[in-house]
Amino acid sequence: YIKASLARKKARRVFQNFGYRIDRFELRDEGVIEFANWLNPLVAPKEITQVEINFFKEIIAEGSLVIDIGANTGDLTVSMSIAAGKSGMVLGVDPNTQVFAILEANASLNKDKANIVPLQVAATETDGEFFFASSEASFSNGGLVNEEKDNVHGKYKLKQKVKGVNLEAYLKKYYPEWLPKISLIKVDTEGNDLNVLKTLNQVIADFKPNIIAEVFPTLSKEERDELFNFLNNHGYSIFDVSHLDLTKTVERKQVLSASQMAPPSVASNVLAIYKG
Protein backbone atom coordinates (compact mmCIF):
# COMPACT_ATOMS: atom_id res chain seq x y z
CA TYR A 1 0.00 0.00 0.00
CA ILE A 2 2.80 2.41 0.94
CA LYS A 3 4.71 1.61 -2.26
CA ALA A 4 1.61 2.24 -4.41
CA SER A 5 0.84 5.46 -2.53
CA LEU A 6 4.38 6.77 -3.08
CA ALA A 7 4.19 5.87 -6.77
CA ARG A 8 0.96 7.86 -7.16
CA LYS A 9 2.43 10.80 -5.27
CA LYS A 10 5.50 10.81 -7.52
CA ALA A 11 3.36 10.55 -10.68
CA ARG A 12 1.45 13.66 -9.61
CA ARG A 13 4.59 15.72 -9.02
CA VAL A 14 7.37 14.38 -11.25
CA PHE A 15 7.16 13.84 -15.01
CA GLN A 16 7.72 10.23 -16.06
CA ASN A 17 7.14 8.14 -19.16
CA PHE A 18 5.08 5.05 -18.36
CA GLY A 19 4.87 2.00 -20.55
CA TYR A 20 1.96 -0.37 -20.99
CA ARG A 21 1.06 -4.03 -20.79
CA ILE A 22 -1.17 -5.97 -23.15
CA ASP A 23 -4.10 -7.60 -21.36
CA ARG A 24 -6.37 -10.15 -23.02
CA PHE A 25 -10.09 -10.51 -22.29
CA GLU A 26 -12.09 -13.56 -23.35
CA LEU A 27 -15.61 -12.38 -24.15
CA ARG A 28 -18.69 -14.45 -24.82
CA ASP A 29 -19.57 -12.96 -28.22
CA GLU A 30 -16.35 -11.36 -29.40
CA GLY A 31 -13.72 -13.92 -28.44
CA VAL A 32 -10.36 -12.56 -27.29
CA ILE A 33 -10.02 -8.75 -27.16
CA GLU A 34 -6.64 -7.23 -26.39
CA PHE A 35 -6.12 -3.94 -24.60
CA ALA A 36 -2.96 -1.93 -23.86
CA ASN A 37 -3.25 -0.88 -20.22
CA TRP A 38 -1.17 2.18 -19.30
CA LEU A 39 1.13 1.56 -16.33
CA ASN A 40 0.61 5.04 -14.91
CA PRO A 41 -0.22 4.48 -11.20
CA LEU A 42 -2.85 7.24 -11.34
CA VAL A 43 -4.89 5.31 -13.91
CA ALA A 44 -6.89 2.24 -12.90
CA PRO A 45 -6.44 -0.78 -15.19
CA LYS A 46 -9.15 -1.04 -17.82
CA GLU A 47 -11.24 -4.17 -18.29
CA ILE A 48 -13.04 -4.70 -21.60
CA THR A 49 -16.46 -6.25 -21.00
CA GLN A 50 -19.22 -7.68 -23.16
CA VAL A 51 -21.68 -5.33 -21.42
CA GLU A 52 -19.64 -2.33 -22.59
CA ILE A 53 -19.42 -3.54 -26.18
CA ASN A 54 -23.15 -4.34 -26.21
CA PHE A 55 -23.91 -0.80 -25.03
CA PHE A 56 -22.05 0.62 -28.00
CA LYS A 57 -23.61 -1.87 -30.41
CA GLU A 58 -26.98 -0.28 -29.56
CA ILE A 59 -25.82 3.13 -30.83
CA ILE A 60 -23.11 2.26 -33.36
CA ALA A 61 -23.96 0.59 -36.67
CA GLU A 62 -21.54 -2.00 -38.00
CA GLY A 63 -19.47 -0.50 -40.80
CA SER A 64 -20.08 3.07 -39.62
CA LEU A 65 -17.86 6.00 -38.66
CA VAL A 66 -17.32 6.93 -35.00
CA ILE A 67 -15.43 9.98 -33.74
CA ASP A 68 -14.01 9.71 -30.22
CA ILE A 69 -12.90 13.21 -29.18
CA GLY A 70 -10.81 13.07 -26.04
CA ALA A 71 -10.01 9.42 -26.63
CA ASN A 72 -7.28 9.35 -23.96
CA THR A 73 -5.65 5.88 -23.97
CA GLY A 74 -8.52 4.37 -25.94
CA ASP A 75 -10.37 3.14 -22.87
CA LEU A 76 -13.70 3.49 -24.70
CA THR A 77 -12.32 3.68 -28.24
CA VAL A 78 -11.54 -0.03 -28.34
CA SER A 79 -15.08 -1.11 -27.44
CA MET A 80 -16.50 1.40 -29.93
CA SER A 81 -14.27 -0.06 -32.62
CA ILE A 82 -15.45 -3.60 -31.89
CA ALA A 83 -19.04 -2.38 -32.24
CA ALA A 84 -18.27 -0.65 -35.57
CA GLY A 85 -16.35 -3.73 -36.74
CA LYS A 86 -13.46 -4.14 -39.13
CA SER A 87 -15.51 -2.56 -41.93
CA GLY A 88 -16.12 0.56 -39.84
CA MET A 89 -13.71 3.20 -38.57
CA VAL A 90 -13.16 4.98 -35.28
CA LEU A 91 -11.17 8.21 -35.30
CA GLY A 92 -9.49 8.46 -31.90
CA VAL A 93 -8.74 12.15 -31.33
CA ASP A 94 -6.42 13.29 -28.54
CA PRO A 95 -3.58 15.88 -28.44
CA ASN A 96 -1.96 14.64 -25.20
CA THR A 97 1.39 13.11 -26.15
CA GLN A 98 1.50 10.88 -23.05
CA VAL A 99 -1.85 9.14 -23.54
CA PHE A 100 -1.52 9.17 -27.34
CA ALA A 101 1.31 6.65 -27.20
CA ILE A 102 -1.06 4.21 -25.50
CA LEU A 103 -3.89 5.05 -27.90
CA GLU A 104 -1.55 4.18 -30.79
CA ALA A 105 -0.75 0.86 -29.12
CA ASN A 106 -4.45 0.08 -28.80
CA ALA A 107 -5.02 1.04 -32.44
CA SER A 108 -2.49 -1.63 -33.43
CA LEU A 109 -4.43 -4.42 -31.67
CA ASN A 110 -7.54 -6.45 -32.65
CA LYS A 111 -6.97 -5.78 -36.36
CA ASP A 112 -9.21 -8.70 -37.31
CA LYS A 113 -12.14 -7.11 -35.47
CA ALA A 114 -11.62 -3.35 -35.45
CA ASN A 115 -10.28 -0.30 -37.27
CA ILE A 116 -8.96 2.59 -35.13
CA VAL A 117 -7.26 5.60 -36.71
CA PRO A 118 -5.50 7.69 -34.02
CA LEU A 119 -5.24 11.45 -34.60
CA GLN A 120 -2.89 13.46 -32.38
CA VAL A 121 -4.81 16.72 -32.54
CA ALA A 122 -7.25 18.75 -30.48
CA ALA A 123 -10.71 19.61 -31.79
CA THR A 124 -10.69 23.41 -32.03
CA GLU A 125 -12.69 26.12 -33.77
CA THR A 126 -9.69 27.24 -35.82
CA ASP A 127 -6.49 25.45 -36.77
CA GLY A 128 -3.50 26.42 -34.63
CA GLU A 129 -1.21 25.52 -31.76
CA PHE A 130 -2.22 25.48 -28.11
CA PHE A 131 -0.81 24.78 -24.66
CA PHE A 132 -1.91 21.58 -22.94
CA ALA A 133 -2.24 21.66 -19.15
CA SER A 134 -2.80 18.99 -16.51
CA SER A 135 -3.13 18.81 -12.74
CA GLU A 136 -0.57 15.98 -12.67
CA ALA A 137 3.01 15.85 -13.94
CA SER A 138 2.22 12.50 -15.58
CA PHE A 139 -0.43 14.13 -17.85
CA SER A 140 -2.99 11.38 -17.38
CA ASN A 141 -5.66 13.96 -18.16
CA GLY A 142 -5.98 17.65 -18.94
CA GLY A 143 -7.16 20.22 -21.45
CA LEU A 144 -6.23 23.09 -23.74
CA VAL A 145 -5.32 26.58 -22.58
CA ASN A 146 -4.42 29.60 -24.69
CA GLU A 147 -1.82 31.04 -22.34
CA GLU A 148 1.09 29.19 -20.73
CA LYS A 149 0.31 30.80 -17.37
CA ASP A 150 -3.34 29.68 -17.49
CA ASN A 151 -3.76 27.02 -14.77
CA VAL A 152 -7.47 26.25 -15.24
CA HIS A 153 -6.58 22.59 -15.94
CA GLY A 154 -3.55 22.49 -13.64
CA LYS A 155 -0.06 23.94 -13.37
CA TYR A 156 1.75 21.30 -15.45
CA LYS A 157 2.19 22.04 -19.17
CA LEU A 158 3.45 19.85 -21.98
CA LYS A 159 6.80 21.15 -23.22
CA GLN A 160 5.60 21.39 -26.80
CA LYS A 161 2.39 23.03 -27.94
CA VAL A 162 -0.26 20.71 -29.37
CA LYS A 163 -1.94 21.01 -32.76
CA GLY A 164 -5.59 21.98 -33.01
CA VAL A 165 -7.74 21.45 -36.10
CA ASN A 166 -11.30 22.23 -37.08
CA LEU A 167 -12.61 18.68 -37.27
CA GLU A 168 -15.52 19.48 -39.55
CA ALA A 169 -13.17 20.89 -42.19
CA TYR A 170 -10.73 18.04 -41.59
CA LEU A 171 -13.41 15.39 -42.08
CA LYS A 172 -14.75 17.01 -45.22
CA LYS A 173 -11.22 17.15 -46.66
CA TYR A 174 -9.90 13.71 -45.72
CA TYR A 175 -12.95 11.52 -45.03
CA PRO A 176 -15.86 12.86 -47.13
CA GLU A 177 -16.95 9.34 -48.13
CA TRP A 178 -17.29 8.38 -44.47
CA LEU A 179 -19.47 11.29 -43.32
CA PRO A 180 -22.79 9.76 -44.50
CA LYS A 181 -21.86 6.70 -42.41
CA ILE A 182 -21.28 8.55 -39.13
CA SER A 183 -23.19 6.95 -36.25
CA LEU A 184 -21.62 8.38 -33.07
CA ILE A 185 -19.68 11.39 -31.84
CA LYS A 186 -18.35 11.00 -28.31
CA VAL A 187 -16.85 14.08 -26.61
CA ASP A 188 -14.93 14.26 -23.34
CA THR A 189 -12.83 17.43 -23.27
CA GLU A 190 -12.73 18.67 -19.67
CA GLY A 191 -15.69 21.04 -19.85
CA ASN A 192 -15.20 22.14 -23.46
CA ASP A 193 -17.65 19.64 -24.97
CA LEU A 194 -20.25 22.15 -26.18
CA ASN A 195 -17.63 24.25 -27.98
CA VAL A 196 -16.35 21.12 -29.70
CA LEU A 197 -19.88 20.12 -30.74
CA LYS A 198 -20.45 23.60 -32.16
CA THR A 199 -17.43 23.14 -34.44
CA LEU A 200 -19.21 20.05 -35.85
CA ASN A 201 -22.55 21.80 -36.16
CA GLN A 202 -23.06 21.16 -39.88
CA VAL A 203 -22.06 17.49 -39.63
CA ILE A 204 -24.57 17.08 -36.80
CA ALA A 205 -27.29 18.93 -38.74
CA ASP A 206 -26.71 16.92 -41.92
CA PHE A 207 -26.15 13.40 -40.59
CA LYS A 208 -27.70 13.32 -37.07
CA PRO A 209 -25.20 10.96 -35.41
CA ASN A 210 -25.78 9.77 -31.86
CA ILE A 211 -23.84 11.94 -29.40
CA ILE A 212 -22.27 11.24 -26.02
CA ALA A 213 -21.06 14.32 -24.15
CA GLU A 214 -19.80 14.90 -20.63
CA VAL A 215 -21.58 17.35 -18.35
CA PHE A 216 -18.44 18.57 -16.59
CA PRO A 217 -18.83 19.27 -12.85
CA THR A 218 -17.56 22.87 -13.07
CA LEU A 219 -20.12 23.90 -15.71
CA SER A 220 -22.50 26.59 -14.56
CA LYS A 221 -26.27 26.21 -14.78
CA GLU A 222 -26.21 28.50 -17.82
CA GLU A 223 -23.61 26.31 -19.54
CA ARG A 224 -25.64 23.18 -18.78
CA ASP A 225 -28.71 24.90 -20.20
CA GLU A 226 -26.80 25.81 -23.35
CA LEU A 227 -25.64 22.21 -23.85
CA PHE A 228 -29.20 20.93 -23.44
CA ASN A 229 -30.58 23.54 -25.84
CA PHE A 230 -27.94 22.79 -28.48
CA LEU A 231 -28.89 19.10 -28.54
CA ASN A 232 -32.62 19.73 -28.20
CA ASN A 233 -32.64 22.30 -31.01
CA HIS A 234 -30.97 19.75 -33.29
CA GLY A 235 -33.92 17.42 -32.68
CA TYR A 236 -32.38 14.98 -30.21
CA SER A 237 -33.89 13.04 -27.32
CA ILE A 238 -31.49 13.43 -24.40
CA PHE A 239 -30.74 10.80 -21.78
CA ASP A 240 -28.72 11.00 -18.59
CA VAL A 241 -26.31 8.05 -18.55
CA SER A 242 -24.61 9.10 -15.33
CA HIS A 243 -20.89 8.26 -15.07
CA LEU A 244 -21.14 5.86 -18.00
CA ASP A 245 -20.22 2.89 -15.82
CA LEU A 246 -20.05 0.23 -18.50
CA THR A 247 -19.31 -2.66 -16.17
CA LYS A 248 -23.06 -3.03 -15.85
CA THR A 249 -26.12 -2.28 -17.97
CA VAL A 250 -26.47 1.48 -18.37
CA GLU A 251 -29.76 2.92 -17.23
CA ARG A 252 -31.03 5.68 -19.52
CA LYS A 253 -33.00 8.41 -17.78
CA GLN A 254 -34.60 10.81 -20.25
CA VAL A 255 -33.91 14.48 -19.68
CA LEU A 256 -36.95 16.49 -20.81
CA SER A 257 -35.75 19.94 -19.82
CA ALA A 258 -32.52 21.73 -18.99
CA SER A 259 -33.48 21.80 -15.33
CA GLN A 260 -33.34 17.98 -15.24
CA MET A 261 -29.67 17.91 -16.21
CA ALA A 262 -27.12 17.27 -13.49
CA PRO A 263 -26.75 20.32 -11.25
CA PRO A 264 -23.45 22.24 -10.93
CA SER A 265 -20.65 20.28 -9.14
CA VAL A 266 -22.12 16.95 -10.29
CA ALA A 267 -20.43 15.13 -13.18
CA SER A 268 -22.48 13.06 -15.59
CA ASN A 269 -22.76 12.10 -19.24
CA VAL A 270 -25.62 12.54 -21.65
CA LEU A 271 -26.55 10.38 -24.61
CA ALA A 272 -28.39 12.19 -27.40
CA ILE A 273 -30.37 10.19 -29.98
CA TYR A 274 -32.05 11.86 -32.94
CA LYS A 275 -35.84 11.75 -32.62
CA GLY A 276 -36.32 11.06 -36.32
Side-chain angles (χ1 to χ4, degrees):
Y1 171 83
I2 293 174
K3 184 178 179 180
S5 178
L6 290 173
R8 290 192 296 271
K9 203 170 285 187
K10 184 178 180 182
R12 290 189 183 98
R13 299 175 182 176
V14 181
F15 174 79
Q16 300 166 80
N17 281 308
F18 297 101
Y20 60 86
R21 68 168 189 255
I22 304 296
D23 290 329
R24 292 163 58 88
F25 302 96
E26 179 79 48
L27 304 186
R28 183 195 64 222
D29 298 337
E30 319 304 332
V32 174
I33 302 297
E34 294 184 320
F35 185 82
N37 259 311
W38 196 17
L39 298 178
N40 185 332
L42 297 178
V43 179
K46 168 73 178 183
E47 179 183 359
I48 303 293
T49 68
Q50 190 67 59
V51 169
E52 179 170 295
I53 292 172
N54 289 346
F55 169 81
F56 285 118
K57 283 183 176 181
E58 292 181 12
I59 55 176
I60 295 173
E62 185 174 357
S64 67
L65 170 66
V66 175
I67 306 175
D68 185 3
I69 303 168
N72 204 265
T73 62
D75 53 325
L76 294 180
T77 322
V78 170
S79 291
M80 292 176 187
S81 70
I82 300 300
K86 187 178 179 180
S87 61
M89 180 173 65
V90 179
L91 296 179
V93 181
D94 205 294
N96 181 347
T97 54
Q98 296 306 107
V99 300
F100 190 79
I102 316 304
L103 177 61
E104 283 189 306
N106 275 311
S108 72
L109 304 174
N110 309 302
K111 286 293 192 180
D112 60 327
K113 300 180 176 74
N115 178 24
I116 298 173
V117 177
L119 297 177
Q120 192 175 350
V121 298
T124 53
E125 183 179 0
T126 57
D127 294 359
E129 293 188 330
F130 302 84
F131 293 101
F132 188 91
S134 176
S135 59
E136 316 109 8
S138 62
F139 294 96
S140 65
N141 216 326
L144 298 186
V145 292
N146 290 318
E147 302 291 337
E148 189 170 14
K149 61 184 179 181
D150 188 344
N151 291 335
V152 65
H153 292 298
K155 66 179 181 179
Y156 298 99
K157 309 291 191 303
L158 288 175
K159 290 183 178 180
Q160 302 294 326
K161 285 186 176 182
V162 300
K163 182 181 179 182
V165 300
N166 180 285
L167 270 184
E168 188 162 274
Y170 186 92
L171 292 167
K172 289 178 179 179
K173 181 177 181 179
Y174 294 106
Y175 298 101
E177 73 281 8
W178 280 94
L179 283 175
K181 303 177 185 178
I182 188 169
S183 63
L184 176 65
I185 297 172
K186 170 254 170 185
V187 190
D188 185 349
T189 55
E190 301 298 293
N192 197 44
D193 293 31
L194 177 59
N195 290 330
V196 170
L197 290 172
K198 285 179 178 178
T199 69
L200 291 161
N201 186 65
Q202 197 59 52
V203 168
I204 293 169
D206 290 345
F207 304 109
K208 305 297 185 185
N210 297 318
I211 296 171
I212 293 176
E214 183 184 29
V215 184
F216 202 63
T218 60
L219 294 184
S220 66
K221 179 184 181 302
E222 290 72 24
E223 289 169 322
R224 284 167 162 75
D225 291 351
E226 191 178 358
L227 175 59
F228 175 89
N229 291 333
F230 176 87
L231 296 171
N232 186 59
N233 290 342
H234 270 288
Y236 282 89
S237 294
I238 304 166
F239 300 89
D240 184 343
V241 288
S242 190
H243 291 283
L244 212 59
D245 180 2
L246 297 177
T247 60
K248 56 188 178 182
T249 302
V250 174
E251 191 173 316
R252 299 183 191 179
K253 180 181 178 182
Q254 188 164 6
V255 176
L256 299 174
S257 67
S259 63
Q260 292 180 352
M261 293 185 72
S265 80
V266 176
S268 66
N269 288 274
V270 290
L271 166 63
I273 297 175
Y274 183 56
K275 295 175 184 176

